[in-house]
Amino acid sequence: MKTLKERQDELVEEFSMFDDWLDKYEYLIDLGKNLEPFPEELKTDDRLIKGCQSRVWLDAEAKDGAIVFRADSDAIITKGIISMLISVYSGRRAEEIAGDDFSFVDRLGLKENLSPTRANGLVSMLETIRNIAQNNR
Amino acid sequence: MDVQELRKEFTQLDEKVYGKPLVYLDNAATSLRPRGVVSKWVELSERYSANIHRAVHHISSIATEEYEHARETVAAYLNVSPGEVVFTSGTTASVNLAAFSFGEAFVGEGDEIIVSESEHHSDLVPWQMMCERKRAVLKVLEVDEEGRLRIDELGSMISRRTKLVCVTHVSNVLGLVNPIKAIAEICHSHGCRLLVDGAQGAVHGHPDLKDLDCDFYAFSGHKMYAAPGTGVLYGKKELLDAMPPYMGGGEMVGSVKWSGTTYAPVPLKFEAGTQNFAGAPTMVPAIRMLELMEDAEIERNIDEITAYLLEELPKIPGLRLYGIPGEAYGQDFRKIPLFSFSVEHCHHEDLALILDKMGIALRSGQMCAEPLMDRFGVTGMLRASFAPYNTMEETGYFLSSLKKAIKMLEA
Ligand SMILES: Cc1ncc(COP(=O)(O)O)c(C=O)c1O
């Protein structure tokens, strides 16, 4: 498994290859579509991430000392974004996630290019992941 | 006057977003401001900043004249008298004022207020709050599948306890013009009052409030080309006179003693504190602009856009348009150039996000009308709302971009 830093750098590089925002969206849409199916029964209110315009569910499960994340959203670009975050954080130990400064998102240039509500959603997603990690330490 | 000439008055139309020309289709949220409005605003800020109605000095009297001239202009435009025009900070403030003061004067426990299902939260939550305070009952007048208001049901809904009916002139989601005159007749013949949310209605068409005969009419300046933070509550004189003030403070008083306070006559009774003296006078150039837009060529352009989209949008597979014009309940429900829709398998937010990157500004979400979203079983919609300065070319670009965005999401 790549280190957290390696995976983040890899993503930042992949993302920087597109110079047009529509291409970045195409990429996120692809990620969203390829996200592993999320069980319907997990779509409960306590798994909803607050602060997003669209609905985003995040499920976290402790497995062999690591946290496995699964997620879904009714909006595909949001789904792509949460899928990206999962690909970075899922399967890692709580200490490692909680210790991250989450600054790779700034390097992606995502926040300033999303509408304010969407950017808020992204911030909420990161906070939720961080909180889960801290509570599982 | 042609559209290109009109566009020169709205400087923001020259903006670029992400290197693409801005196509502004969020006019129902707020309109753009013409040069005349901006220059009036600047003039008042640069030259005539002074508190109104208070000081005797020269600049203050100019500022007061500008403010009162705006009231006269608004009154003349609406065909009412200046004493019936209360300046507020916008529709929301107007409705809250009406809800509080009307409630205090006329509503008691067990009384009823009727609101339509298509109301913006601004013409809904204040009534819920007031009904809670007064232990009154809030009843809902529904819309049908086409989005047309069930005015056939209104008469039988009104009881002896009904004090007020609140409907929007034009819903910010459905874009259908409600038959206010007919609704006012029903209300009055059953002995209750009518408040109209004119936030969209004041912009599309020229409301003659004497003719419509509603008892209250609320609207915002920023949607009709004037400065943000301006607005109006029109109320019939005898009602405003009978209603207690909403806020207490400077300027709304006659005399203040420890033994008690008397209030200024309407409309000043409802204008407590320092008013938006730089903003309110921009209603004058804004109304000039509205009158300028009452032009055959300008109207033909916007009518063509409306007809074209009514024809083309439903052809897109999976697209559902909300608010279908036509005859119902003996009335003609006309459509303003405002189109809310959903597309099967495409989330409204995804579409809005992609269209934004194509330079198109439009609205997505619940549009401050959650009960209406529930009515149609959706979590949100996408809305394109046009103004007379929008062109057929922009309309075509919007349509082709929408189709492209849908493809991107489907692929
Ligand atoms: C129909 C309708 N009513 C009320 C409002 C509220 O207006 P404002 O936010 O200017 O007070 C709006 C605009 O958002 C509207 O479209």
Side-chain angles (χ1 to χ4, degrees), chain B residues 28-29 89-93 120 122-123 168 170-172 197 199-200 220 222-223 368 383:
Chain B
S89 64
T91 311
T92 304
H120 186 283
S122 289
D123 193 33
T168 188
V170 179
S171 146
N172 61 307
D197 173 351
Q200 303 297 336
S220 302
H222 71 94
K223 293 186 199 279
C368 301
R383 179 185 73 193

Side-chain angles (χ1 to χ4, degrees), chain B residues 322-333:
Chain B
Y322 301 92
I324 311 295
E327 293 250 355
Y329 320 114
Q331 299 293 332
D332 182 30
F333 289 84

Side-chain angles (χ1 to χ4, degrees), chain B residues 116-160:
Chain B
S116 100
E117 194 175 22
S118 58
E119 294 316 293
H120 186 283
H121 293 164
S122 289
D123 193 33
L124 192 166
V125 181
W127 301 113
Q128 277 183 328
M129 289 163 61
M130 187 269 271
C131 285
E132 205 160 298
R133 207 175 65 242
K134 292 286 168 185
R135 297 171 190 273
V137 181
L138 194 66
K139 299 208 297 195
V140 182
L141 177 64
E142 297 184 341
V143 298
D144 67 16
E145 274 301 291
E146 262 71 46
R148 300 163 190 164
L149 198 61
R150 293 294 308 266
I151 60 166
D152 56 323
E153 302 208 316
L154 181 58
S156 58
M157 268 180 82
I158 300 175
S159 78
R160 278 181 25 247

Side-chain angles (χ1 to χ4, degrees), chain A residues 20-23 25-26 29-30 33 52-55 74-78 81 113-115 117-118, chain B residues 18 20 346-351 353-358 364-366 379 404 407-411:
Chain A
D20 187 345
W21 260 95
L22 287 177
D23 295 335
Y25 279 166
E26 298 255 24
I29 291 168
D30 258 3
K33 285 190 174 146
C52 303
Q53 204 187 61
S54 48
R55 289 182 297 176
D74 51 4
I76 196 75
I77 294 175
T78 300
I81 293 171
N113 274 286
L114 293 171
S115 60
T117 52
R118 188 65 76 116
Chain B
Y18 316 110
K20 300 190 173 77
C346 295
H347 196 279
H348 49 87
E349 202 192 19
D350 287 326
L351 287 170
L353 216 50
I354 296 172
L355 288 167
D356 169 55
K357 289 295 189 285
M358 297 175 172
S364 70
Q366 300 184 328
T379 58
K404 220 192 259 173
K407 255 216 190 83
M408 264 176 81
L409 291 169
E410 275 175 347

Side-chain angles (χ1 to χ4, degrees), chain B residues 6-22:
Chain B
L6 178 65
R7 287 175 70 84
K8 291 191 190 127
E9 297 300 313
F10 294 86
T11 48
Q12 194 173 315
L13 290 171
D14 298 331
E15 286 296 317
K16 292 217 159 33
V17 290
Y18 316 110
K20 300 190 173 77
L22 169 67

